[in-house]
Amino acid sequence: MSAAVIALLLGGAGIAIGATPAQAAETKFNVKCVPPAGGGDPVEGETTAKVSAPASAKVGDEVDVSWETVKPASNNTDLMDIPQDSVQPTGWITLGGGGGELKVVGEKKNPPIPKKAPMQMSTMKGKLKLTKPGKITLTPGKYDVAVTFSFGTFVTKCAPTGDVGVGATIDVAAGTSGGTTNGGSTNGGSTNGGSTNGGSTSGGSTSGGSTSGGGGGQTDFPGKPVEVAFDCGPVVPGGIKTPVTINAKKNGGSYDLTVKTAKGAMASPMALPAGALKPSMNVKLGGADSGMVKVSGPANAEPIPDKAPVSLSDMTGTYKPGKTGKVTLSPDQLTIDVTMAPGATPINVPCKAASSGVSLELDTTAQEGGSGSPTTTGSTTASGGLAETGAEDEGGIKALALVAGTVILLGGAVFTFTPWRRLRGTR
């Protein structure tokens, strides 16, 4: 990106008279980045920032300041591709000389970012009102990176782990204006949403969804996506990671639940017939109530061609409260029944939720015969199953496969499935 693009656009009479052209300097520093819950372990790396500001100005001027990420501290994860124009950075620049902190915000503008590719972020910008003479140093500090998908926004929080060099210095001359230092531009929009609270100082936790339910005439209670890690045993090395959202609609004293997993992920490694995939899940109750609510979805209505995107259908069920009070709902065990031919015995693939979180909280009133339903149980468990899934686009099933050498008899036909790891290596 050229210097002209990242240079400050000096506007306003005061700036045109009192401010000199922008200066920009690069500084390298180490940071620790904490992804949202379920997004993996913290990552440490070195980033290069270029801070731009006028070399000199006078008291009363409002000057433009920008922070360009020349080199990101880390790459995108291997869980998902990041879509175009979905990344919004927010940074905080420390102002030397008692100036406090300046918030700078970037546009939600980026090219598509493949898995494991370097992150790309727009230049963050803000405005600084100069209120006293002297030298003001500008040093890049902590920053957030919010990535928005159709199913929610996920925020990674980064902070320096050591000393950071000064990015720019403004020599402020005495002027006729006074006033107080203004904290910079906060344009760029809010970055909250998804399973984490974006654009704020909260730590990217998987906070719950709606915190009210059953009162005030409200009938629809949307949950928030929560990143869930499913352990499917040796069938799926590394397990499954996908966002899950639990929504509720009040129906009398009960609640109709709809559970959404990620959709449209990786290509299927083989052609799958209509009716091949039927998902179900246990929703765990917490807080005032306990037990499980089983939800299930229909099988795929259409055949899935080889290498076509694969999705799980939405799963539905009914929660009849057995207790009065605040009840939390969290994704628990996921089960997928795979049927490769009409009348064949389904292959049952159970995946336990190794890590999860609260997607929804309801304020319930106890109903007779309430609390939970029978939990998910298997049809027929084979040595094969579904390969790992993860979030991409809307997050979804990452791939389908069965263990190497597994042979399944379906009527008179014999099907041998190839491991997704091998298929992935030939793409």
Side-chain angles (χ1 to χ4, degrees):
M1 189 173 288
S2 67
V5 175
I6 63 171
L8 299 173
L9 303 176
L10 303 177
I15 297 177
I17 296 172
T20 62
Q23 41 137 2
E26 292 186 4
T27 180
K28 297 180 180 181
F29 57 100
N30 294 321
V31 295
K32 180 178 182 180
C33 296
V34 180
D41 297 327
V43 175
E44 295 190 25
E46 182 185 75
T47 185
T48 302
K50 180 187 288 185
V51 176
S52 300
S56 62
K58 70 179 191 308
V59 171
D61 287 346
E62 185 175 64
V63 298
D64 292 310
V65 177
S66 68
W67 171 352
E68 178 191 353
T69 301
V70 178
K71 175 183 174 295
S74 63
N75 295 342
N76 183 20
T77 69
D78 62 354
L79 296 178
M80 65 191 80
D81 292 338
I82 295 177
Q84 182 176 344
D85 297 339
S86 63
V87 178
Q88 184 174 42
T90 302
W92 287 264
I93 295 175
T94 302
L95 306 175
E101 204 172 52
L102 173 67
K103 182 179 179 180
V104 289
V105 179
E107 293 183 285
K108 193 181 289 185
K109 191 172 183 63
N110 61 276
I113 305 173
K115 300 178 187 68
K116 299 184 179 180
M119 288 294 295
Q120 298 189 50
M121 298 175 283
S122 64
T123 298
M124 296 172 278
K125 300 177 181 180
K127 291 184 179 293
L128 175 64
K129 183 70 176 290
L130 304 175
T131 62
K132 60 182 179 180
K135 291 186 181 295
I136 298 179
T137 58
L138 294 90
T139 304
K142 65 182 180 181
Y143 60 93
D144 293 348
V145 182
V147 182
T148 300
F149 299 89
S150 58
F151 54 89
T153 298
F154 301 86
V155 181
T156 296
K157 295 180 172 292
C158 302
T161 57
D163 295 334
V164 182
V166 171
T169 302
I170 305 174
D171 192 354
V172 184
T176 57
S177 307
T180 58
T181 300
N182 155 353
S185 169
T186 56
N187 62 331
S190 169
T191 56
N192 52 328
S195 61
T196 59
N197 293 327
S200 68
T201 55
S202 60
S205 62
T206 53
S207 56
S210 171
T211 56
S212 61
Q218 184 178 356
T219 58
D220 292 313
F221 304 96
K224 292 186 178 180
V226 56
E227 197 78 18
V228 184
F230 292 102
D231 181 3
C232 305
V235 172
V236 186
I240 297 170
K241 292 181 181 178
T242 180
V244 179
T245 305
I246 302 173
N247 300 317
K249 184 178 181 65
K250 194 170 184 184
N251 184 0
S254 299
Y255 295 87
D256 295 331
L257 304 182
T258 300
V259 178
K260 296 176 177 289
T261 60
K263 298 180 188 289
M266 299 290 287
S268 171
M270 67 197 75
L272 297 170
L277 305 178
K278 183 175 174 59
S280 60
M281 184 181 290
N282 292 338
V283 175
K284 185 176 182 179
L285 305 176
D289 210 345
S290 61
M292 297 283 183
V293 177
K294 181 179 178 179
V295 294
S296 59
N300 55 300
E302 301 293 332
I304 302 173
D306 183 25
K307 297 182 174 58
V310 182
S311 301
L312 289 181
S313 62
D314 293 346
M315 293 165 276
T316 59
T318 300
Y319 166 46
K320 189 175 184 180
K323 303 289 183 181
T324 298
K326 292 188 180 298
V327 178
T328 59
L329 290 82
S330 305
D332 203 65
Q333 178 169 305
L334 168 69
T335 301
I336 305 173
D337 288 336
V338 183
T339 305
M340 292 300 294
T345 302
I347 305 162
N348 177 255
V349 185
C351 299
K352 296 181 179 179
S355 66
S356 184
V358 175
S359 176
L360 181 64
E361 185 178 80
L362 297 172
D363 202 353
T364 65
T365 301
Q367 305 293 311
E368 184 177 355
S371 292
S373 61
T375 59
T376 299
T377 56
S379 304
T380 300
T381 301
S383 57
L386 295 178
E388 62 185 59
T389 70
E392 179 193 77
D393 187 28
E394 284 193 52
I397 302 178
K398 193 172 182 181
L400 287 170
L402 291 177
V403 175
T406 299
V407 178
I408 301 168
L409 300 178
L410 302 175
V414 178
F415 293 80
T416 302
F417 294 83
T418 306
W420 174 242
R421 284 178 296 175
R422 186 184 306 165
L423 291 168
R424 188 164 49 188
T426 61
R427 294 183 64 193

